[in-house]
Amino acid sequence: MKKTINYIIAAFSAVALVSSCNLDLFPNGSVSYDEEGALFHNATELGYFENGLYTSYRSGFYGSNAITEEVMADGFNASADFGNNYGGVHRVDSDMNPGEYNIRDFWANRYSAIKNYNVFIKGVEKLPEEYKGLGPQAQKVKGAAYFFRASAYLDLIRHFAPAYGSNSATAENSGVPLVLVYDQNEKPSRATVQEVYDQIKKDLDSAAVNLAGVAGAKASQKVTIDAVNALYARYYLDIRDFNNAAAKATEVINSKAGYALSSSVKEFQNEYLNDAGTEAIMQLYASKTENGSGTNDVYTFMGSSKSDVKDNENGRYFNKPYFFPSQKLLDLYDKDDLRLACWFTVDGKNNLTGEIYPTYIINSFHYDVTIFTKYLGNPELTSSAVLNARQKVKPIMIGEMYLIAAEASYRGGDNEAALTTLNALQAKRGATLSQAVSETVLYNEWFKETIGEGHRLATIKRFGNGYSTRTAQPAAANLIMDGDNYQHKSVNSSDYHLNWPIPTNDIQTNPNLVQNAGY
């Protein structure tokens, strides 16, 4: 019996996702997917599906997708006004459980997207002969779908499973469910960590074949071969194939696309305020009316003063963050490090906007506390003068490639190459050059370079670290939540919370799922 499924990825509001192509509108309703018929019949319908795939991918970034692990770790202290937002994961206590909604949403987002990728991949494979003329365009979209699925599984395995190579990673049910064909009645069990990484490699191989002719470009809105190679570099680093990790990362660094690290305040402003820089290997579409991803607003929550006389006389906007950067993090930066100058508002002064932004906490203004403003907000993505922390999604940045190349070279025994690559990154950032490479040096450089981007948990697990305390800024001593589960929280390397829990609903509805230890 023929079964028709309403294919939901195309049922979004009208949006220009890729402005350079004729893909500017989603259909008003949904596109029906007939399992026995053609998935699409012309280039326009193919474009709708492509938009849906990119929207599914983009929705997995920023907001709780990145914030959850960042505030779980040691880079941030909860402000006194944080209202228990991300409270369970920040405290890493009994409230960080299978019902925690930020973790639930991370899991659900990836598997919902994987369903969409699976439907498209299968549909293209069954494309009838009369539609083969769409082959070249469909091949690129299919390559993107493989890339997206590899990315989704890499996210899942990094968060919900033990690190590759650890003792517990070889056990049955140690990984996450591998779902490669859409079947709403399927109740999959968890694969092993090895099986999941094997599938990621297969998908990347397929993406590389389909996108071999799509050259990299700075801030590309589409998946390119450089993006595929960057994801290969992540994969190889995780599975401890250091030669290939270094090679793939270096290939992207040396790409003809000309990716370049920001090395001045102006270049940081272009990249991290105006989304017009040279660091993004991919940068996805956003507009004032449509963003399509999470917003990293918990670090700023900018508002305008209406009552405080002192601030109102100055006509200043203020920040009311849920989380302050820890002194532990700030102490890692040299005083001349451009990342400190441009990703943090120090003593109220923001170097990217040139404005003074006081911090409003516990019903008073403060000018001496440092806040995290890497995601202050692109002025073009707000309809008012208040910056709303909305930035165009940058899923892969060139800075990460320098870190992967340096770490992989070091772990592979090539200390000279590791130091050269690490120094190249540090020199561009205005930081003091390391004289030698060590695990500690690399670990700290990952912390400084990728803060806020959602790499913290993978870094902690890959290095086999926990963390000890979240030393707070002296200026924020009376503005934060204090105590053993806040400023003084320590998590050791064997803490079960480093492997996130499988969400309650999935455990209850799928008897084949096994929960992670400790929950």
Side-chain angles (χ1 to χ4, degrees):
M1 180 177 180
K2 183 182 293 187
K3 181 170 62 174
T4 300
I5 301 170
N6 285 329
Y7 185 42
I8 68 168
I9 70 168
F12 294 97
S13 58
V15 50
L17 184 58
V18 185
S19 59
S20 61
C21 301
N22 187 23
L23 300 174
D24 56 339
L25 293 176
F26 290 116
N28 292 327
S30 63
V31 174
S32 292
Y33 165 45
D34 181 346
E35 288 188 338
E36 296 184 7
L39 184 64
F40 48 84
H41 303 82
N42 52 54
T44 299
E45 288 185 2
L46 175 58
Y48 292 152
F49 278 101
E50 181 179 24
N51 270 354
L53 295 175
Y54 273 88
T55 297
S56 293
Y57 176 62
R58 185 182 56 179
S59 70
F61 296 94
Y62 296 0
S64 63
N65 293 289
I67 293 168
T68 303
E69 68 189 84
E70 295 288 345
V71 302
M72 174 187 173
D74 47 349
F76 295 94
N77 299 111
S79 80
D81 289 341
F82 91 123
N84 202 38
N85 286 278
Y86 298 92
V89 293
H90 183 62
R91 292 187 299 271
V92 195
D93 64 4
S94 60
D95 287 335
M96 184 178 170
N97 56 48
E100 208 285 328
Y101 60 91
N102 293 297
I103 291 174
R104 174 203 66 196
D105 291 350
F106 187 101
W107 172 280
N109 171 278
R110 299 313 188 278
Y111 275 110
S112 176
I114 286 169
K115 175 201 65 181
N116 297 335
Y117 309 147
N118 289 344
V119 168
F120 186 84
I121 290 169
K122 182 179 179 181
V124 173
E125 289 173 348
K126 294 174 57 180
L127 195 64
E129 189 64 36
E130 62 264 34
Y131 303 128
K132 293 297 185 183
L134 297 173
Q137 181 183 351
Q139 176 183 346
K140 294 177 182 178
V141 182
K142 183 180 178 183
Y146 278 119
F147 171 88
F148 296 152
R149 190 167 73 181
S151 177
Y153 274 117
L154 193 55
D155 285 346
L156 287 164
I157 201 70
R158 283 179 154 194
H159 290 82
F160 293 92
Y164 186 97
S166 62
N167 292 334
S168 53
T170 60
E172 186 180 6
N173 293 313
S174 58
V176 297
L178 276 175
V179 183
L180 305 178
V181 177
Y182 175 62
D183 181 354
Q184 60 186 353
N185 297 314
E186 184 182 10
K187 297 187 184 300
S189 59
R190 298 175 66 173
T192 66
V193 168
Q194 183 67 58
E195 288 169 339
V196 176
Y197 274 103
D198 287 347
Q199 183 59 47
I200 291 169
K201 175 62 161 53
K202 290 177 183 177
D203 282 351
L204 286 174
D205 289 346
S206 295
V209 169
N210 284 279
L211 297 169
V214 182
K218 292 188 290 290
S220 175
Q221 292 185 25
K222 293 287 194 75
V223 183
T224 68
I225 194 62
D226 284 351
V228 175
N229 286 333
L231 206 60
Y232 264 128
R234 284 184 191 172
Y235 158 80
Y236 282 125
L237 186 66
D238 276 11
I239 68 163
R240 305 181 68 80
D241 183 343
F242 301 125
N243 288 338
N244 275 319
K248 288 295 185 182
T250 301
E251 187 174 348
V252 178
I253 291 169
N254 295 331
S255 167
K256 292 181 180 180
Y259 311 110
L261 293 161
S262 301
S263 57
S264 68
V265 172
K266 179 63 176 177
E267 289 173 356
F268 269 84
Q269 182 186 59
N270 287 339
E271 185 67 67
Y272 292 96
L273 185 69
N274 299 322
D275 296 325
T278 59
E279 295 190 21
I281 296 165
M282 287 186 71
Q283 179 174 286
L284 305 180
Y285 178 85
S287 70
K288 285 183 182 179
T289 57
E290 189 275 329
N291 195 36
S293 66
T295 300
N296 298 324
D297 50 8
V298 301
Y299 309 113
T300 52
F301 278 121
M302 184 177 284
S304 57
S305 174
K306 300 298 182 184
S307 59
D308 183 84
V309 175
K310 176 183 176 183
D311 195 68
N312 195 47
E313 285 176 349
N314 291 324
R316 288 173 178 161
Y317 294 96
F318 62 85
N319 292 292
K320 191 174 181 180
Y322 286 169
F323 293 92
F324 292 115
S326 67
Q327 191 64 42
K328 181 177 183 179
L329 168 64
L330 297 174
D331 283 345
L332 295 177
Y333 295 98
D334 302 320
K335 63 181 179 63
D336 296 324
D337 195 317
L338 286 163
R339 293 169 294 191
L340 177 63
C342 298
W343 292 346
F344 300 86
T345 294
V346 183
D347 295 333
K349 176 66 181 295
N350 186 277
N351 288 319
L352 299 188
T353 65
E355 299 291 336
I356 299 293
Y357 300 122
T359 296
Y360 187 75
I361 296 289
I362 318 180
N363 299 316
S364 62
F365 286 92
H366 305 269
Y367 288 81
D368 56 349
V369 67
T370 296
I371 64 171
F372 180 57
T373 48
K374 189 175 186 178
Y375 304 99
L376 189 61
N378 185 335
E380 293 185 355
L381 300 181
T382 179
S383 299
S384 73
V386 178
L387 299 179
N388 57 12
R390 288 180 57 190
Q391 303 282 167
K392 293 181 179 179
V393 167
K394 301 178 175 76
I396 312 173
M397 304 289 285
I398 195 62
E400 182 193 356
M401 295 301 103
Y402 280 84
L403 292 167
I404 290 176
E407 182 184 337
S409 295
Y410 171 76
R411 295 190 186 281
D414 192 342
N415 287 7
E416 183 179 354
L419 185 60
T420 298
T421 304
L422 184 64
N423 284 170
L425 170 63
Q426 293 168 331
K428 287 291 187 178
R429 299 316 202 189
T432 300
L433 303 186
S434 297
Q435 299 304 302
V437 183
S438 66
E439 282 215 3
T440 299
V441 168
L442 289 166
Y443 184 71
N444 288 340
E445 203 66 45
W446 272 99
F447 201 2
K448 290 185 288 182
E449 177 66 23
T450 65
I451 185 66
E453 295 181 12
H455 294 288
R456 188 61 179 151
L457 185 59
T459 303
I460 287 172
K461 291 167 72 170
R462 190 174 64 255
F463 278 80
N465 291 349
Y467 60 83
S468 177
T469 74
R470 304 163 167 141
T471 308
Q473 302 173 49
N478 297 317
L479 308 178
I480 65 165
M481 302 293 291
D482 198 10
D484 290 343
N485 278 344
Y486 288 100
Q487 179 180 183
H488 308 294
K489 183 70 182 182
S490 292
V491 171
N492 63 46
S493 60
S494 61
D495 192 302
Y496 68 87
H497 293 97
L498 294 178
N499 301 323
W500 286 359
I502 309 301
T504 299
N505 182 69
D506 292 78
I507 291 291
Q508 291 177 341
T509 58
N510 181 358
N512 296 321
L513 282 180
V514 176
Q515 183 59 274
N516 279 328
Y519 296 101

Short mmCIF file of all heavy atoms in Angstrom, two decimals, residues 431-464:
data_model
loop_
_atom_site.label_atom_id
_atom_site.label_comp_id
_atom_site.label_asym_id
_atom_site.label_seq_id
_atom_site.Cartn_x
_atom_site.Cartn_y
_atom_site.Cartn_z
N ALA A 431 48.79 37.86 20.95
CA ALA A 431 49.13 37.19 22.21
C ALA A 431 50.62 36.89 22.27
O ALA A 431 51.31 36.84 21.24
CB ALA A 431 48.34 35.88 22.33
N THR A 432 51.11 36.67 23.47
CA THR A 432 52.49 36.26 23.64
C THR A 432 52.69 34.89 23.02
O THR A 432 51.90 33.97 23.24
CB THR A 432 52.86 36.21 25.14
OG1 THR A 432 52.68 37.51 25.70
CG2 THR A 432 54.29 35.77 25.32
N LEU A 433 53.77 34.73 22.24
CA LEU A 433 54.01 33.47 21.57
C LEU A 433 54.52 32.42 22.55
O LEU A 433 55.42 32.70 23.35
CB LEU A 433 55.04 33.65 20.45
CG LEU A 433 54.72 34.68 19.36
CD1 LEU A 433 55.76 34.62 18.26
CD2 LEU A 433 53.31 34.48 18.80
N SER A 434 53.96 31.24 22.47
CA SER A 434 54.44 30.14 23.30
C SER A 434 55.84 29.73 22.84
O SER A 434 56.14 29.72 21.64
CB SER A 434 53.50 28.93 23.20
OG SER A 434 52.21 29.25 23.70
N GLN A 435 56.69 29.38 23.78
CA GLN A 435 58.04 28.94 23.46
C GLN A 435 58.11 27.43 23.26
O GLN A 435 59.09 26.92 22.71
CB GLN A 435 59.00 29.38 24.56
CG GLN A 435 59.07 30.89 24.75
CD GLN A 435 59.43 31.61 23.46
OE1 GLN A 435 60.47 31.35 22.87
NE2 GLN A 435 58.55 32.51 23.02
N ALA A 436 57.11 26.75 23.73
CA ALA A 436 57.03 25.30 23.58
C ALA A 436 55.57 24.89 23.64
O ALA A 436 54.71 25.64 24.12
CB ALA A 436 57.82 24.59 24.68
N VAL A 437 55.29 23.71 23.13
CA VAL A 437 53.92 23.21 23.12
C VAL A 437 53.78 22.11 24.16
O VAL A 437 54.67 21.27 24.32
CB VAL A 437 53.54 22.64 21.73
CG1 VAL A 437 52.09 22.17 21.72
CG2 VAL A 437 53.75 23.69 20.66
N SER A 438 52.68 22.13 24.87
CA SER A 438 52.35 21.09 25.84
C SER A 438 50.85 20.91 25.82
O SER A 438 50.11 21.70 25.22
CB SER A 438 52.81 21.48 27.24
OG SER A 438 52.07 22.60 27.71
N GLU A 439 50.38 19.87 26.50
CA GLU A 439 48.92 19.68 26.58
C GLU A 439 48.26 20.87 27.25
O GLU A 439 47.19 21.30 26.83
CB GLU A 439 48.61 18.38 27.34
CG GLU A 439 48.79 17.12 26.53
CD GLU A 439 47.77 16.05 26.89
OE1 GLU A 439 46.89 16.31 27.73
OE2 GLU A 439 47.87 14.95 26.32
N THR A 440 48.88 21.39 28.29
CA THR A 440 48.30 22.53 29.01
C THR A 440 48.20 23.75 28.10
O THR A 440 47.18 24.45 28.08
CB THR A 440 49.13 22.86 30.25
OG1 THR A 440 49.13 21.74 31.13
CG2 THR A 440 48.56 24.06 30.99
N VAL A 441 49.27 24.03 27.36
CA VAL A 441 49.26 25.17 26.45
C VAL A 441 48.15 25.02 25.41
O VAL A 441 47.39 25.97 25.14
CB VAL A 441 50.64 25.31 25.76
CG1 VAL A 441 50.56 26.30 24.60
CG2 VAL A 441 51.69 25.78 26.77
N LEU A 442 48.03 23.85 24.82
CA LEU A 442 46.99 23.61 23.82
C LEU A 442 45.59 23.70 24.42
O LEU A 442 44.68 24.30 23.83
CB LEU A 442 47.20 22.24 23.18
CG LEU A 442 48.42 22.11 22.25
CD1 LEU A 442 48.71 20.64 21.97
CD2 LEU A 442 48.20 22.88 20.96
N TYR A 443 45.42 23.10 25.57
CA TYR A 443 44.13 23.11 26.24
C TYR A 443 43.67 24.54 26.52
O TYR A 443 42.52 24.90 26.27
CB TYR A 443 44.24 22.32 27.55
CG TYR A 443 42.96 22.15 28.32
CD1 TYR A 443 41.95 21.32 27.86
CD2 TYR A 443 42.77 22.79 29.54
CE1 TYR A 443 40.77 21.14 28.58
CE2 TYR A 443 41.61 22.63 30.27
CZ TYR A 443 40.60 21.80 29.78
OH TYR A 443 39.45 21.63 30.50
N ASN A 444 44.59 25.37 27.01
CA ASN A 444 44.25 26.76 27.31
C ASN A 444 43.98 27.56 26.04
O ASN A 444 43.13 28.46 26.04
CB ASN A 444 45.37 27.42 28.12
CG ASN A 444 45.43 26.91 29.54
OD1 ASN A 444 44.46 26.35 30.05
ND2 ASN A 444 46.58 27.07 30.19
N GLU A 445 44.70 27.24 24.97
CA GLU A 445 44.46 27.97 23.71
C GLU A 445 43.09 27.63 23.14
O GLU A 445 42.40 28.51 22.60
CB GLU A 445 45.56 27.68 22.71
CG GLU A 445 45.74 28.76 21.64
CD GLU A 445 46.23 30.07 22.23
OE1 GLU A 445 47.17 30.07 23.04
OE2 GLU A 445 45.67 31.13 21.84
N TRP A 446 42.68 26.38 23.24
CA TRP A 446 41.31 26.02 22.84
C TRP A 446 40.29 26.82 23.65
O TRP A 446 39.29 27.30 23.10
CB TRP A 446 41.08 24.52 23.07
CG TRP A 446 41.45 23.62 21.94
CD1 TRP A 446 42.59 22.90 21.78
CD2 TRP A 446 40.65 23.34 20.77
NE1 TRP A 446 42.56 22.19 20.61
CE2 TRP A 446 41.39 22.43 19.97
CE3 TRP A 446 39.40 23.75 20.33
CZ2 TRP A 446 40.90 21.93 18.75
CZ3 TRP A 446 38.91 23.26 19.13
CH2 TRP A 446 39.65 22.37 18.36
N PHE A 447 40.54 26.93 24.95
CA PHE A 447 39.63 27.67 25.83
C PHE A 447 39.50 29.12 25.38
O PHE A 447 38.39 29.66 25.22
CB PHE A 447 40.19 27.59 27.26
CG PHE A 447 39.20 27.85 28.36
CD1 PHE A 447 37.85 28.09 28.12
CD2 PHE A 447 39.63 27.85 29.69
CE1 PHE A 447 36.95 28.32 29.15
CE2 PHE A 447 38.74 28.08 30.74
CZ PHE A 447 37.41 28.32 30.47
N LYS A 448 40.62 29.76 25.14
CA LYS A 448 40.63 31.19 24.77
C LYS A 448 40.03 31.44 23.39
O LYS A 448 39.29 32.40 23.20
CB LYS A 448 42.07 31.72 24.79
CG LYS A 448 42.68 31.83 26.17
CD LYS A 448 44.06 32.48 26.13
CE LYS A 448 45.10 31.57 25.53
NZ LYS A 448 46.45 32.20 25.55
N GLU A 449 40.38 30.59 22.43
CA GLU A 449 39.99 30.85 21.05
C GLU A 449 38.54 30.50 20.76
O GLU A 449 37.87 31.19 19.97
CB GLU A 449 40.92 30.06 20.10
CG GLU A 449 40.58 30.19 18.62
CD GLU A 449 40.79 31.59 18.07
OE1 GLU A 449 41.59 32.36 18.66
OE2 GLU A 449 40.17 31.92 17.04
N THR A 450 38.01 29.45 21.35
CA THR A 450 36.67 28.98 20.98
C THR A 450 35.62 29.29 22.04
O THR A 450 34.52 28.76 21.98
CB THR A 450 36.67 27.46 20.70
OG1 THR A 450 36.99 26.75 21.91
CG2 THR A 450 37.69 27.11 19.63
N ILE A 451 35.93 30.15 22.99
CA ILE A 451 34.98 30.46 24.05
C ILE A 451 33.64 30.90 23.46
O ILE A 451 33.57 31.73 22.55
CB ILE A 451 35.55 31.54 25.01
CG1 ILE A 451 34.61 31.78 26.18
CG2 ILE A 451 35.87 32.84 24.26
CD1 ILE A 451 34.47 30.60 27.11
N GLY A 452 32.57 30.30 23.95
CA GLY A 452 31.22 30.63 23.51
C GLY A 452 30.75 29.89 22.28
O GLY A 452 29.57 29.95 21.94
N GLU A 453 31.64 29.15 21.60
CA GLU A 453 31.29 28.54 20.32
C GLU A 453 30.70 27.13 20.45
O GLU A 453 30.24 26.56 19.46
CB GLU A 453 32.51 28.49 19.40
CG GLU A 453 33.00 29.88 19.00
CD GLU A 453 34.21 29.83 18.07
OE1 GLU A 453 34.53 28.73 17.56
OE2 GLU A 453 34.83 30.88 17.86
N GLY A 454 30.72 26.57 21.65
CA GLY A 454 30.16 25.24 21.83
C GLY A 454 31.14 24.11 21.59
O GLY A 454 30.73 23.00 21.22
N HIS A 455 32.43 24.35 21.84
CA HIS A 455 33.45 23.31 21.72
C HIS A 455 33.97 22.87 23.10
O HIS A 455 34.83 21.98 23.17
CB HIS A 455 34.64 23.80 20.90
CG HIS A 455 34.34 24.08 19.47
ND1 HIS A 455 34.11 23.07 18.55
CD2 HIS A 455 34.22 25.23 18.77
CE1 HIS A 455 33.87 23.60 17.36
NE2 HIS A 455 33.93 24.91 17.47
N ARG A 456 33.48 23.47 24.16
CA ARG A 456 34.11 23.28 25.46
C ARG A 456 34.00 21.84 25.96
O ARG A 456 34.98 21.28 26.47
CB ARG A 456 33.50 24.24 26.49
CG ARG A 456 34.22 24.26 27.83
CD ARG A 456 35.64 24.70 27.69
NE ARG A 456 36.35 24.75 28.97
CZ ARG A 456 37.65 24.56 29.09
NH1 ARG A 456 38.40 24.34 28.04
NH2 ARG A 456 38.22 24.61 30.28
N LEU A 457 32.84 21.23 25.85
CA LEU A 457 32.67 19.87 26.37
C LEU A 457 33.55 18.88 25.62
O LEU A 457 34.21 18.02 26.22
CB LEU A 457 31.21 19.45 26.31
CG LEU A 457 30.86 18.10 26.94
CD1 LEU A 457 31.23 18.08 28.42
CD2 LEU A 457 29.38 17.79 26.76
N ALA A 458 33.58 19.00 24.30
CA ALA A 458 34.42 18.09 23.50
C ALA A 458 35.88 18.26 23.87
O ALA A 458 36.63 17.27 23.93
CB ALA A 458 34.21 18.36 22.01
N THR A 459 36.31 19.48 24.12
CA THR A 459 37.70 19.74 24.49
C THR A 459 38.03 19.11 25.84
O THR A 459 39.06 18.44 26.00
CB THR A 459 37.98 21.25 24.53
OG1 THR A 459 37.66 21.83 23.27
CG2 THR A 459 39.45 21.53 24.84
N ILE A 460 37.17 19.32 26.81
CA ILE A 460 37.38 18.75 28.15
C ILE A 460 37.48 17.23 28.07
O ILE A 460 38.37 16.61 28.66
CB ILE A 460 36.23 19.18 29.09
CG1 ILE A 460 36.37 20.66 29.47
CG2 ILE A 460 36.19 18.31 30.34
CD1 ILE A 460 35.19 21.22 30.24
N LYS A 461 36.59 16.61 27.32
CA LYS A 461 36.58 15.14 27.24
C LYS A 461 37.76 14.61 26.43
O LYS A 461 38.35 13.59 26.78
CB LYS A 461 35.25 14.68 26.63
CG LYS A 461 34.06 14.92 27.55
CD LYS A 461 32.73 14.77 26.84
CE LYS A 461 32.39 13.34 26.51
NZ LYS A 461 30.99 13.20 26.04
N ARG A 462 38.10 15.30 25.36
CA ARG A 462 39.21 14.82 24.53
C ARG A 462 40.54 14.88 25.27
O ARG A 462 41.40 13.99 25.12
CB ARG A 462 39.30 15.65 23.24
CG ARG A 462 40.26 15.08 22.20
CD ARG A 462 40.21 15.85 20.90
NE ARG A 462 40.66 17.23 21.03
CZ ARG A 462 39.87 18.28 21.03
NH1 ARG A 462 38.55 18.13 20.91
NH2 ARG A 462 40.35 19.51 21.14
N PHE A 463 40.73 15.91 26.08
CA PHE A 463 41.95 16.04 26.85
C PHE A 463 41.92 15.20 28.13
O PHE A 463 42.91 15.13 28.85
CB PHE A 463 42.21 17.51 27.20
CG PHE A 463 42.86 18.31 26.11
CD1 PHE A 463 42.12 18.80 25.05
CD2 PHE A 463 44.23 18.56 26.14
CE1 PHE A 463 42.71 19.53 24.03
CE2 PHE A 463 44.83 19.29 25.13
CZ PHE A 463 44.07 19.78 24.06
N GLY A 464 40.77 14.60 28.43
CA GLY A 464 40.66 13.79 29.64
C GLY A 464 40.67 14.62 30.90
O GLY A 464 41.13 14.17 31.95
#
